[in-house]
Amino acid sequence: MSSLCWNVCELGNRCTVRELEALVRAQDPVALFLAETWADEDRLHSLCNKLNFDHAWIVPRINSTGCLSLFWKKIVHIEVISSSPNHVDTIVGNSSEDRWRFTDIYGFADSRRKHETWSLLRQLHRRISLPWLCAGDFNEIMWAHEKLGRGPRQDRMMMEFREVLDECGLMDLGFR
């Protein structure tokens, strides 16, 4: 299954929408996760149709947080089992032999709240024992060399991220 995850805060901008359309045409993902969209539900449902996805799960924004959305095509069976302003947790596949979990994450950017993201991951890990893929924006890096711009990251923050990934049996697959 091909999927695309994008933290996109400018869906009100026509250039950003055109860029997303071009990316979806070029990559042809079966599922698309958008984080921090700052768009309302009607706009996201319209975008889902415009991008030729058949289903949409939208977590509305609360206060100052952007919303999350997951779009997918009917060629794959996806069941949303839980969601919050920081995640959409799904089971992919119909039969017990090919079922697996796909969890889209949007972690807290505020360093004082990162522990809440790590607690969420731990809770999700304990829920269901299936092969598990987590993707999205954790708002953290694993190693200092991954940082671009501004000041350096705190070693403690990166270490806590690595620890929760290890505890949950997750590993960094990289990105493109």
Side-chain angles (χ1 to χ4, degrees):
M1 180 181 111
S2 62
S3 63
L4 178 63
C5 301
W6 193 7
N7 182 338
V8 54
C9 59
E10 303 248 349
L11 272 181
N13 180 318
R14 278 191 234 148
C15 291
T16 303
V17 172
R18 281 196 299 270
E19 187 176 339
L20 178 60
E21 289 171 337
L23 191 58
V24 167
R25 267 194 313 277
Q27 299 298 318
D28 193 27
V30 173
L32 172 64
F33 174 65
L34 300 173
E36 204 176 16
T37 63
W38 295 102
D40 62 29
E41 288 185 58
D42 290 340
R43 182 168 180 76
L44 289 168
H45 281 291
S46 175
L47 182 63
C48 177
N49 292 331
K50 187 175 190 175
L51 296 174
N52 295 316
F53 288 95
D54 303 298
H55 304 282
W57 184 270
I58 297 168
V59 180
R61 69 180 189 201
I62 298 172
N63 300 327
S64 62
T65 63
C67 70
L68 308 179
S69 60
L70 176 64
F71 303 157
W72 67 95
K73 296 180 179 177
K74 63 184 171 190
I75 62 170
V76 64
H77 180 267
I78 293 181
E79 174 189 353
V80 176
I81 54 177
S82 70
S83 65
S84 75
N86 296 92
H87 85 288
V88 178
D89 192 22
T90 69
I91 295 179
V92 179
N94 278 328
S95 67
S96 59
E97 299 88 43
D98 72 350
R99 290 167 49 110
W100 56 282
R101 279 177 80 188
F102 181 45
T103 304
D104 298 303
I105 297 288
Y106 179 67
F108 284 102
D110 182 348
S111 61
R112 296 169 298 193
R113 298 192 71 187
K114 292 219 183 271
H115 66 93
E116 293 177 50
T117 303
W118 310 152
S119 292
L120 172 63
L121 279 172
R122 287 180 178 103
Q123 289 169 11
L124 291 169
H125 171 67
R126 288 189 295 268
R127 283 187 186 163
I128 299 172
S129 180
L130 285 173
W132 190 24
L133 174 66
C134 288
D137 185 354
F138 293 87
N139 271 311
E140 189 55 82
I141 57 175
M142 291 179 60
W143 306 102
H145 70 271
E146 297 173 338
K147 177 79 169 101
L148 299 175
R150 296 198 186 153
R153 295 290 304 147
Q154 294 179 14
D155 287 334
R156 180 182 56 80
M157 302 297 255
M158 293 181 289
M159 184 185 70
E160 288 174 5
F161 183 39
R162 291 190 304 266
E163 286 174 355
V164 74
L165 293 180
D166 188 51
E167 185 180 322
C168 293
L170 298 170
M171 63 181 1
D172 185 2
L173 297 177
F175 67 95
R176 285 190 296 157

